[in-house]
Amino acid sequence: MKVWIKYLIGVALGVLAAFILPTENAAFANAVAFLTELFIRVGRYVVVPLLFTSAIVAVNKLRSSKILLKTTGITLLIIVASTLILTLVGLASILIVKLPRIPITVDIATETFSLDVKGLILSLFPYSGFEALREGSFLLVCLVFAFIIGWESASEEIAFKPVFALSDSLSNLFYNIANFFTEIMAIFGIAIVCYWTMDFRKVIEPGIYTPMIIMFIVDFVIVAGIIYPVILHFVCHDPHPYKVLYASIAPLILSFFSGDSNLVIPLVNRHLRDSLGIRRRCRGYTYPMFSIFARGGSALVTSISFILIWRSYSSLSMPVSDILWIFGLSFGLSFLLGGIPSGGAFVLLTILCSKYARGFETSFLLLKPASMIICSFAALFDTLTAMVGNYIVAVKTKNIEHHSITHFI
């Protein structure tokens, strides 16, 4: 059975459970919330070991074949370009279509968020390199350590051959373990989807946020069905660009209902290899970079959310200078969300509201009930971007063995 079918069955069972089980019961709701958190932790259990060992092998191979700089350059270019495209799509959609206002509620003091840029930079180099393996959220810390080892192990291939051999074996071991985890996540996903559906029902029933959700769906259809396939067709000269979307079905399902960019890494890694045929020397290095920095989905949903909030408070037209400010801040700050694998989009929205000031400091509370849905769509866009971006990098660096769609897992 195809992996995506297993995940679809899990989604169907999770949605069904949310309708037939006593979700109004507080004890049951707490139990589902506990199971969701537990299963997400199980899913992320092998992420750091897999990323660390695979990145060592990938950097070693890329440096040995003298395409490390080219691969890095293409990856960074795609990350910036995709974030720019998604931010523009979000702004264009909300500026063209005027969504109904959200009723103003009394603002209640709540916790605000901020991005500690200095702290993020300092965290890249802990007092001991081995502490990098303890960080399970900000994966760049682990990636930097792996990059250093991979780079140096390629400088003296004979002397450091045992290092490469050990990393290679561990990478294969953790890949096999990760495959097992991706299989059981189709079952664990029942609880995750049930919890998500319980929250979604509360959000959708009043109808206040329905137009916003519809806009997110339409934007995703435009990006996934038109923009990205056109880019793949012209950049990669691929006559079948939709195969990347087909290979992304299971990762998109998991990322949407979990809203966690780190949880989906093992599943994406499996599909990049077994479906799209991308070699480890490419995906082991490029996918973590996409997962950490390519957060254009957060920029897209944040742009839409902030302007919706602004229009709910004011009937005036938004000045062009403010639109440019929203674009610049959403675009720029999205690259700093790597340390927030879950909920980054809503954190970005709170930052925009606090920076805008003018009485908007707590205006994000209008969308707080829908924060899980907002973050789900952000993760959806980001996962698709990572899949498409990795495919483009692999094609351009010739690190791919094309598979027939019939052989996709």
Side-chain angles (χ1 to χ4, degrees):
M1 184 183 294
K2 300 289 187 181
V3 174
W4 64 269
I5 296 179
K6 297 176 184 178
Y7 276 81
L8 275 183
I9 293 174
V11 169
L13 293 176
V15 173
L16 182 63
F19 279 92
I20 65 175
L21 295 178
T23 55
E24 296 81 8
N25 184 282
F28 178 82
N30 291 333
V32 174
F34 169 77
L35 289 176
T36 299
E37 176 65 21
L38 174 63
F39 294 156
I40 288 178
R41 286 173 178 260
V42 170
R44 292 173 61 175
Y45 191 75
V46 77
V47 168
V48 171
L50 175 65
L51 183 150
F52 179 69
T53 53
S54 298
I56 292 175
V57 175
V59 172
N60 180 289
K61 287 287 188 180
L62 290 174
R63 187 187 178 189
S64 299
S65 55
K66 303 185 187 307
I67 58 171
L68 178 59
L69 181 61
K70 178 181 179 181
T71 302
T72 303
I74 296 175
T75 301
L76 294 178
L77 177 62
I78 295 173
I79 288 174
V80 174
S82 62
T83 305
L84 178 64
I85 290 171
L86 292 178
T87 308
L88 289 175
V89 168
L91 277 175
S93 60
I94 189 63
L95 292 176
I96 293 173
V97 180
K98 191 171 184 179
L99 299 179
R101 294 183 181 181
I102 297 177
I104 305 299
T105 57
V106 178
D107 293 340
I108 302 175
T110 186
E111 181 183 0
T112 57
F113 302 92
S114 62
L115 291 174
D116 184 8
V117 180
K118 292 181 179 179
L120 289 176
I121 295 174
L122 290 175
S123 69
L124 296 180
F125 299 97
Y127 290 107
S128 170
F130 291 107
E131 290 185 21
L133 303 180
R134 298 177 57 188
E135 176 55 61
S137 296
F138 192 28
L139 298 180
L140 185 60
V141 182
C142 171
L143 185 61
V144 169
F145 190 34
F147 183 93
I148 294 173
I149 296 175
W151 175 275
E152 285 302 320
S153 63
S155 61
E156 296 287 345
E157 294 186 19
I158 297 178
F160 298 125
K161 187 176 180 179
V163 175
F164 175 82
L166 177 62
S167 300
D168 182 47
S169 297
L170 288 175
S171 175
N172 291 326
L173 171 64
F174 291 129
Y175 178 81
N176 290 335
I177 295 175
N179 284 353
F180 169 74
F181 277 86
T182 59
E183 291 290 337
I184 63 175
M185 280 305 297
I187 302 174
F188 290 170
I190 297 174
I192 296 174
V193 173
C194 180
Y195 181 73
W196 186 93
T197 305
M198 290 164 55
D199 185 79
F200 181 74
R201 290 177 63 185
K202 296 176 183 177
V203 173
I204 204 72
E205 282 176 1
I208 299 173
Y209 305 104
T210 303
M212 179 186 69
I213 294 173
I214 293 175
M215 177 170 284
F216 289 157
I217 295 173
V218 172
D219 282 351
F220 180 76
V221 171
I222 292 173
V223 172
I226 301 175
I227 296 178
Y228 281 172
V230 169
I231 292 174
L232 286 171
H233 178 73
F234 287 101
V235 175
C236 300
H237 307 290
D238 197 328
H240 306 292
Y242 288 98
K243 69 181 181 182
V244 180
L245 180 61
Y246 176 65
S248 305
I249 293 177
L252 291 176
I253 291 173
L254 182 59
S255 64
F256 179 74
F257 288 103
S258 68
D260 195 309
S261 61
N262 287 359
L263 175 67
V264 78
I265 287 178
L267 185 59
V268 169
N269 193 52
R270 185 180 177 187
H271 279 78
L272 289 176
R273 192 190 89 159
D274 296 337
S275 293
L276 296 178
I278 298 176
R279 296 189 179 96
R280 181 177 51 177
R281 67 179 63 185
C282 179
R283 58 185 164 81
Y285 173 61
T286 59
Y287 182 75
M289 293 182 63
F290 278 105
S291 179
I292 295 166
F293 296 113
R295 307 296 287 272
S298 298
L300 182 150
V301 300
T302 298
S303 300
I304 292 175
S305 301
F306 183 81
I307 293 181
L308 176 59
I309 291 173
W310 194 94
R311 286 176 172 170
S312 298
Y313 277 91
S314 175
S315 58
L316 301 176
S317 299
M318 177 169 281
V320 175
S321 58
D322 286 3
I323 295 174
L324 293 176
W325 179 85
I326 295 169
F327 167 78
L329 215 60
S330 299
F331 174 79
L333 292 181
S334 68
F335 297 109
L336 302 177
L337 297 178
I340 311 174
S342 178
F346 195 71
V347 170
L348 182 57
L349 178 62
T350 63
I351 293 174
L352 255 66
C353 292
S354 63
K355 296 292 183 183
Y356 192 75
R358 310 178 197 180
F360 278 76
E361 290 84 353
T362 59
S363 60
F364 62 88
L365 291 174
L366 288 181
L367 296 182
K368 189 174 182 180
S371 60
M372 180 181 289
I373 313 300
I374 292 172
C375 294
S376 289
F377 278 98
L380 189 70
F381 281 101
D382 292 340
T383 300
L384 180 62
T385 299
M387 293 289 292
V388 171
N390 271 272
Y391 182 79
I392 295 175
V393 176
V395 170
K396 289 302 179 181
T397 58
K398 299 179 180 179
N399 279 308
I400 188 171
E401 296 177 0
H402 294 282
H403 296 167
S404 171
I405 293 180
T406 57
H407 294 117
F408 282 22
I409 61 173

PDB file of all heavy atoms in Angstrom, residues 127-144:
ATOM      1  N   TYR A 127      29.102  25.893  24.185  1.00  0.00           N
ATOM      2  CA  TYR A 127      30.424  25.732  24.788  1.00  0.00           C
ATOM      3  C   TYR A 127      31.047  24.392  24.434  1.00  0.00           C
ATOM      4  O   TYR A 127      32.262  24.250  24.403  1.00  0.00           O
ATOM      5  CB  TYR A 127      30.316  25.892  26.308  1.00  0.00           C
ATOM      6  CG  TYR A 127      30.022  27.310  26.734  1.00  0.00           C
ATOM      7  CD1 TYR A 127      28.766  27.668  27.216  1.00  0.00           C
ATOM      8  CD2 TYR A 127      30.998  28.298  26.631  1.00  0.00           C
ATOM      9  CE1 TYR A 127      28.493  28.978  27.596  1.00  0.00           C
ATOM     10  CE2 TYR A 127      30.725  29.610  27.000  1.00  0.00           C
ATOM     11  CZ  TYR A 127      29.482  29.939  27.482  1.00  0.00           C
ATOM     12  OH  TYR A 127      29.212  31.229  27.843  1.00  0.00           O
ATOM     13  N   SER A 128      30.223  23.404  24.162  1.00  0.00           N
ATOM     14  CA  SER A 128      30.721  22.107  23.699  1.00  0.00           C
ATOM     15  C   SER A 128      29.972  21.724  22.430  1.00  0.00           C
ATOM     16  O   SER A 128      28.743  21.849  22.356  1.00  0.00           O
ATOM     17  CB  SER A 128      30.488  21.026  24.768  1.00  0.00           C
ATOM     18  OG  SER A 128      30.756  19.737  24.241  1.00  0.00           O
ATOM     19  N   GLY A 129      30.733  21.258  21.414  1.00  0.00           N
ATOM     20  CA  GLY A 129      30.116  20.870  20.162  1.00  0.00           C
ATOM     21  C   GLY A 129      29.097  19.764  20.336  1.00  0.00           C
ATOM     22  O   GLY A 129      28.103  19.692  19.609  1.00  0.00           O
ATOM     23  N   PHE A 130      29.318  18.892  21.314  1.00  0.00           N
ATOM     24  CA  PHE A 130      28.393  17.773  21.526  1.00  0.00           C
ATOM     25  C   PHE A 130      27.037  18.249  22.034  1.00  0.00           C
ATOM     26  O   PHE A 130      26.052  17.527  21.922  1.00  0.00           O
ATOM     27  CB  PHE A 130      29.003  16.770  22.506  1.00  0.00           C
ATOM     28  CG  PHE A 130      30.187  16.034  21.940  1.00  0.00           C
ATOM     29  CD1 PHE A 130      31.479  16.336  22.374  1.00  0.00           C
ATOM     30  CD2 PHE A 130      30.014  15.077  20.956  1.00  0.00           C
ATOM     31  CE1 PHE A 130      32.570  15.665  21.844  1.00  0.00           C
ATOM     32  CE2 PHE A 130      31.101  14.395  20.425  1.00  0.00           C
ATOM     33  CZ  PHE A 130      32.393  14.697  20.869  1.00  0.00           C
ATOM     34  N   GLU A 131      26.986  19.467  22.590  1.00  0.00           N
ATOM     35  CA  GLU A 131      25.704  20.007  23.015  1.00  0.00           C
ATOM     36  C   GLU A 131      24.804  20.293  21.827  1.00  0.00           C
ATOM     37  O   GLU A 131      23.581  20.433  21.979  1.00  0.00           O
ATOM     38  CB  GLU A 131      25.912  21.286  23.835  1.00  0.00           C
ATOM     39  CG  GLU A 131      26.532  21.050  25.203  1.00  0.00           C
ATOM     40  CD  GLU A 131      26.600  22.326  26.023  1.00  0.00           C
ATOM     41  OE1 GLU A 131      25.834  23.267  25.710  1.00  0.00           O
ATOM     42  OE2 GLU A 131      27.407  22.391  26.948  1.00  0.00           O
ATOM     43  N   ALA A 132      25.402  20.400  20.622  1.00  0.00           N
ATOM     44  CA  ALA A 132      24.602  20.656  19.425  1.00  0.00           C
ATOM     45  C   ALA A 132      23.617  19.520  19.171  1.00  0.00           C
ATOM     46  O   ALA A 132      22.563  19.722  18.569  1.00  0.00           O
ATOM     47  CB  ALA A 132      25.517  20.831  18.210  1.00  0.00           C
ATOM     48  N   LEU A 133      23.959  18.324  19.641  1.00  0.00           N
ATOM     49  CA  LEU A 133      23.094  17.168  19.420  1.00  0.00           C
ATOM     50  C   LEU A 133      21.936  17.111  20.411  1.00  0.00           C
ATOM     51  O   LEU A 133      21.052  16.258  20.286  1.00  0.00           O
ATOM     52  CB  LEU A 133      23.912  15.877  19.517  1.00  0.00           C
ATOM     53  CG  LEU A 133      25.098  15.772  18.552  1.00  0.00           C
ATOM     54  CD1 LEU A 133      25.823  14.458  18.756  1.00  0.00           C
ATOM     55  CD2 LEU A 133      24.630  15.909  17.110  1.00  0.00           C
ATOM     56  N   ARG A 134      21.951  18.004  21.369  1.00  0.00           N
ATOM     57  CA  ARG A 134      20.870  18.033  22.359  1.00  0.00           C
ATOM     58  C   ARG A 134      19.749  18.969  21.936  1.00  0.00           C
ATOM     59  O   ARG A 134      18.661  18.926  22.497  1.00  0.00           O
ATOM     60  CB  ARG A 134      21.417  18.484  23.721  1.00  0.00           C
ATOM     61  CG  ARG A 134      22.468  17.562  24.308  1.00  0.00           C
ATOM     62  CD  ARG A 134      23.012  18.119  25.612  1.00  0.00           C
ATOM     63  NE  ARG A 134      21.966  18.345  26.591  1.00  0.00           N
ATOM     64  CZ  ARG A 134      22.150  18.958  27.754  1.00  0.00           C
ATOM     65  NH1 ARG A 134      23.352  19.403  28.069  1.00  0.00           N
ATOM     66  NH2 ARG A 134      21.143  19.125  28.592  1.00  0.00           N
ATOM     67  N   GLU A 135      20.010  19.819  20.953  1.00  0.00           N
ATOM     68  CA  GLU A 135      19.013  20.795  20.509  1.00  0.00           C
ATOM     69  C   GLU A 135      18.061  20.143  19.515  1.00  0.00           C
ATOM     70  O   GLU A 135      18.461  19.790  18.411  1.00  0.00           O
ATOM     71  CB  GLU A 135      19.715  22.000  19.865  1.00  0.00           C
ATOM     72  CG  GLU A 135      18.768  23.039  19.282  1.00  0.00           C
ATOM     73  CD  GLU A 135      17.761  23.546  20.289  1.00  0.00           C
ATOM     74  OE1 GLU A 135      18.164  24.118  21.310  1.00  0.00           O
ATOM     75  OE2 GLU A 135      16.550  23.335  20.038  1.00  0.00           O
ATOM     76  N   GLY A 136      16.804  19.997  19.907  1.00  0.00           N
ATOM     77  CA  GLY A 136      15.843  19.319  19.049  1.00  0.00           C
ATOM     78  C   GLY A 136      14.924  20.242  18.276  1.00  0.00           C
ATOM     79  O   GLY A 136      14.119  19.777  17.473  1.00  0.00           O
ATOM     80  N   SER A 137      15.017  21.547  18.506  1.00  0.00           N
ATOM     81  CA  SER A 137      14.135  22.492  17.817  1.00  0.00           C
ATOM     82  C   SER A 137      14.881  23.280  16.747  1.00  0.00           C
ATOM     83  O   SER A 137      14.505  23.258  15.576  1.00  0.00           O
ATOM     84  CB  SER A 137      13.500  23.458  18.833  1.00  0.00           C
ATOM     85  OG  SER A 137      12.669  22.767  19.729  1.00  0.00           O
ATOM     86  N   PHE A 138      15.941  23.973  17.146  1.00  0.00           N
ATOM     87  CA  PHE A 138      16.711  24.781  16.209  1.00  0.00           C
ATOM     88  C   PHE A 138      17.768  23.887  15.553  1.00  0.00           C
ATOM     89  O   PHE A 138      18.893  23.759  16.028  1.00  0.00           O
ATOM     90  CB  PHE A 138      17.365  25.948  16.951  1.00  0.00           C
ATOM     91  CG  PHE A 138      17.948  26.992  16.041  1.00  0.00           C
ATOM     92  CD1 PHE A 138      17.438  27.211  14.771  1.00  0.00           C
ATOM     93  CD2 PHE A 138      19.011  27.775  16.468  1.00  0.00           C
ATOM     94  CE1 PHE A 138      17.976  28.169  13.933  1.00  0.00           C
ATOM     95  CE2 PHE A 138      19.561  28.748  15.640  1.00  0.00           C
ATOM     96  CZ  PHE A 138      19.036  28.949  14.377  1.00  0.00           C
ATOM     97  N   LEU A 139      17.414  23.280  14.445  1.00  0.00           N
ATOM     98  CA  LEU A 139      18.259  22.266  13.820  1.00  0.00           C
ATOM     99  C   LEU A 139      19.518  22.833  13.181  1.00  0.00           C
ATOM    100  O   LEU A 139      20.425  22.081  12.835  1.00  0.00           O
ATOM    101  CB  LEU A 139      17.452  21.503  12.760  1.00  0.00           C
ATOM    102  CG  LEU A 139      16.236  20.738  13.294  1.00  0.00           C
ATOM    103  CD1 LEU A 139      15.526  20.021  12.156  1.00  0.00           C
ATOM    104  CD2 LEU A 139      16.649  19.749  14.373  1.00  0.00           C
ATOM    105  N   LEU A 140      19.584  24.151  13.033  1.00  0.00           N
ATOM    106  CA  LEU A 140      20.788  24.742  12.454  1.00  0.00           C
ATOM    107  C   LEU A 140      22.003  24.493  13.340  1.00  0.00           C
ATOM    108  O   LEU A 140      23.129  24.389  12.838  1.00  0.00           O
ATOM    109  CB  LEU A 140      20.587  26.245  12.242  1.00  0.00           C
ATOM    110  CG  LEU A 140      21.722  26.989  11.535  1.00  0.00           C
ATOM    111  CD1 LEU A 140      21.958  26.417  10.142  1.00  0.00           C
ATOM    112  CD2 LEU A 140      21.415  28.485  11.459  1.00  0.00           C
ATOM    113  N   VAL A 141      21.782  24.401  14.655  1.00  0.00           N
ATOM    114  CA  VAL A 141      22.885  24.126  15.586  1.00  0.00           C
ATOM    115  C   VAL A 141      23.518  22.780  15.242  1.00  0.00           C
ATOM    116  O   VAL A 141      24.748  22.650  15.154  1.00  0.00           O
ATOM    117  CB  VAL A 141      22.365  24.121  17.037  1.00  0.00           C
ATOM    118  CG1 VAL A 141      23.520  23.875  18.005  1.00  0.00           C
ATOM    119  CG2 VAL A 141      21.677  25.437  17.370  1.00  0.00           C
ATOM    120  N   CYS A 142      22.702  21.790  15.033  1.00  0.00           N
ATOM    121  CA  CYS A 142      23.169  20.455  14.679  1.00  0.00           C
ATOM    122  C   CYS A 142      23.795  20.443  13.288  1.00  0.00           C
ATOM    123  O   CYS A 142      24.818  19.795  13.054  1.00  0.00           O
ATOM    124  CB  CYS A 142      21.998  19.479  14.744  1.00  0.00           C
ATOM    125  SG  CYS A 142      22.331  17.843  14.092  1.00  0.00           S
ATOM    126  N   LEU A 143      23.192  21.192  12.361  1.00  0.00           N
ATOM    127  CA  LEU A 143      23.686  21.222  10.984  1.00  0.00           C
ATOM    128  C   LEU A 143      25.069  21.852  10.895  1.00  0.00           C
ATOM    129  O   LEU A 143      25.924  21.397  10.118  1.00  0.00           O
ATOM    130  CB  LEU A 143      22.702  21.994  10.095  1.00  0.00           C
ATOM    131  CG  LEU A 143      23.015  22.023   8.597  1.00  0.00           C
ATOM    132  CD1 LEU A 143      23.023  20.613   8.010  1.00  0.00           C
ATOM    133  CD2 LEU A 143      22.004  22.899   7.853  1.00  0.00           C
ATOM    134  N   VAL A 144      25.311  22.891  11.670  1.00  0.00           N
ATOM    135  CA  VAL A 144      26.630  23.542  11.672  1.00  0.00           C
ATOM    136  C   VAL A 144      27.707  22.572  12.142  1.00  0.00           C
ATOM    137  O   VAL A 144      28.787  22.474  11.549  1.00  0.00           O
ATOM    138  CB  VAL A 144      26.609  24.807  12.566  1.00  0.00           C
ATOM    139  CG1 VAL A 144      28.024  25.327  12.797  1.00  0.00           C
ATOM    140  CG2 VAL A 144      25.757  25.892  11.921  1.00  0.00           C
TER     141      VAL A 144
END
